[in-house]
Amino acid sequence: MTNTEFQEMREQLITLKKELEKKTEVHEQVLHKLITNDTISFKKKEISSLILVASVALFLPLMLYFLVHLSPAFCLSTALFFIFALCWEIVIIRKYHIFHLMEGSLVQTAKNLRGYQRVNRFWLNRISPVFIIIWFTWYVMEYLGVMGITDTMLIICTVIILAIGGLIGGLIGYFKFYKPQMQKADEILNYIQELESEE
């Protein structure tokens, strides 16, 4: 191999290396942009969730008391649970810096998102089922008492209708807020992992 050929090969390698670095840099910029866009969307969804929980905490107990005429104890318990849920969500947002996700390092962002997912799964799997069973049982008893329903068939129909209403509400909450947020967190984590593997 002549000196000229060697020089040409060397120049080609340098050009190829520069192009590869440029492509990697562009890819990293695209990933950063995707992460930023996803975190903005993530924050907006959290704000919507806070507004929804605050609205339910304020209006549901009032509706149950003034429109359905359920007992003050039941309405107060309902309000307290949703206030607790609102406080829980605010604590999660503050603890895992959800409104400032991209202000720290990628490692810290990933750590915060994993913590956020873990705590939300705990809420869904451990706290919610206990509350729903107690609240729904109490609600049915209160409702049947207020309406003066004593016929067995009517009681069964009422329970089924209330259960379907509760199920629809739960599914809306799950598919509208919980699942999209968990998927968005997974997307951001995947982008971070891809970025870290390239660095």
Side-chain angles (χ1 to χ4, degrees):
M1 186 180 284
T2 64
N3 200 23
T4 310
E5 287 174 333
F6 181 75
Q7 190 64 30
E8 280 178 13
M9 277 182 70
R10 191 164 175 264
E11 284 172 9
Q12 285 173 353
L13 277 171
I14 289 167
T15 306
L16 192 64
K17 189 181 176 188
K18 282 180 183 175
E19 282 180 19
L20 195 62
E21 283 172 358
K22 191 177 177 183
K23 281 180 182 175
T24 303
E25 194 179 315
V26 168
H27 186 63
E28 283 179 8
Q29 286 171 357
V30 169
L31 284 173
H32 267 292
K33 194 173 173 69
L34 285 169
I35 292 170
T36 304
N37 290 342
D38 276 358
T39 53
I40 290 167
S41 167
F42 194 79
K43 288 180 229 176
K44 284 180 181 174
K45 202 69 150 175
E46 280 300 311
I47 292 166
S48 301
S49 180
L50 283 173
I51 292 167
L52 177 69
V53 175
S55 301
V56 171
L58 179 64
F59 295 112
L60 180 63
L62 292 173
M63 285 171 57
L64 292 172
Y65 183 72
F66 289 109
L67 298 179
V68 190
H69 307 294
L70 300 185
S71 71
F74 177 78
C75 297
L76 183 63
S77 299
T78 302
L80 288 174
F81 174 77
F82 281 103
I83 290 167
F84 173 74
L86 184 65
C87 293
W88 175 281
E89 199 158 348
I90 291 167
V91 167
I92 289 171
I93 286 167
R94 287 177 63 85
K95 182 175 181 180
Y96 297 110
H97 309 286
I98 299 303
F99 291 159
H100 309 283
L101 274 175
M102 288 304 289
E103 289 179 16
S105 66
L106 290 177
V107 173
Q108 189 58 48
T109 301
K111 189 178 173 185
N112 286 337
L113 282 171
R114 287 189 190 103
Y116 168 88
Q117 286 182 315
R118 187 177 59 253
V119 172
N120 273 291
R121 285 191 186 106
F122 175 79
W123 175 270
L124 184 74
N125 298 326
R126 301 288 170 89
I127 295 174
S128 293
V130 174
F131 169 75
I132 289 166
I133 291 165
I134 294 168
W135 186 87
F136 184 73
T137 306
W138 192 359
Y139 177 74
V140 169
M141 288 165 60
E142 289 260 343
Y143 186 82
L144 293 174
V146 166
M147 295 300 171
I149 299 170
T150 53
D151 180 61
T152 309
M153 199 63 200
L154 200 52
I155 289 172
I156 291 167
C157 290
T158 304
V159 170
I160 290 169
I161 290 165
L162 293 174
I164 290 169
L167 183 64
I168 290 168
L171 289 173
I172 289 169
Y174 180 81
F175 287 106
K176 180 81 177 160
F177 292 99
Y178 177 82
K179 195 174 180 185
Q181 283 299 80
M182 291 306 224
Q183 285 175 337
K184 191 64 75 181
D186 282 333
E187 279 176 32
I188 297 168
L189 285 167
N190 288 336
Y191 291 143
I192 289 171
Q193 198 172 9
E194 203 172 328
L195 264 177
E196 286 175 338
S197 66
E198 286 179 5
E199 288 173 358

